[in-house]
Amino acid sequence: MNICSDNKSGGQIMYVKYNREYVTMYIEVLPEGQVVPLSILWKDGRKFTVEQIINIKNNSPVRSGGRATKYTLIIQGQTRDFFVDDGKWFVETRAFI
């Protein structure tokens, strides 16, 4: 669990827990074995195309626990980190407690 300071609540210390939100990622696997994310399907049915791959980092530490391959992607003009661990794709979401 990580701690952050919430400036909007007058400097009150809040606890932040990171959760994994699993998503469906459509990928292409190149003959060399490289995985290329093409589009993402959210749980609510929205589907977005990956516009650009910014970075791929293997064995990256994950705030929600453990390690995973981190893909920094641009989707709808926004930079977002996606992770894949044992073939399962996820994003990290914050829950203030």
Side-chain angles (χ1 to χ4, degrees), residues 4-64:
C4 76
S5 175
D6 180 16
N7 295 334
K8 295 178 183 174
S9 63
Q12 176 182 345
I13 299 295
M14 300 182 73
Y15 294 94
V16 179
K17 180 180 184 223
Y18 289 90
N19 299 311
R20 294 181 178 199
E21 182 178 336
Y22 290 95
V23 298
T24 299
M25 182 71 76
Y26 295 94
I27 62 169
E28 177 181 9
V29 180
L30 301 179
E32 305 82 30
Q34 183 180 3
V35 174
V36 180
L38 302 174
S39 62
I40 180 172
L41 178 65
W42 293 101
K43 286 183 181 180
D44 64 7
R46 294 177 297 150
K47 186 175 181 180
F48 299 103
T49 300
V50 174
E51 297 166 6
Q52 186 177 355
I53 300 170
I54 301 296
N55 191 26
I56 301 170
K57 185 175 181 183
N58 292 316
N59 203 25
S60 180
V62 180
R63 292 179 284 196
S64 57

Side-chain angles (χ1 to χ4, degrees), residues 54-87:
I54 301 296
N55 191 26
I56 301 170
K57 185 175 181 183
N58 292 316
N59 203 25
S60 180
V62 180
R63 292 179 284 196
S64 57
R67 301 183 87 73
T69 300
K70 176 180 167 182
Y71 286 77
T72 303
L73 308 174
I74 294 183
I75 298 175
Q76 289 203 314
Q78 300 289 322
T79 301
R80 185 82 190 252
D81 291 330
F82 290 84
F83 300 87
V84 62
D85 183 24
D86 197 28

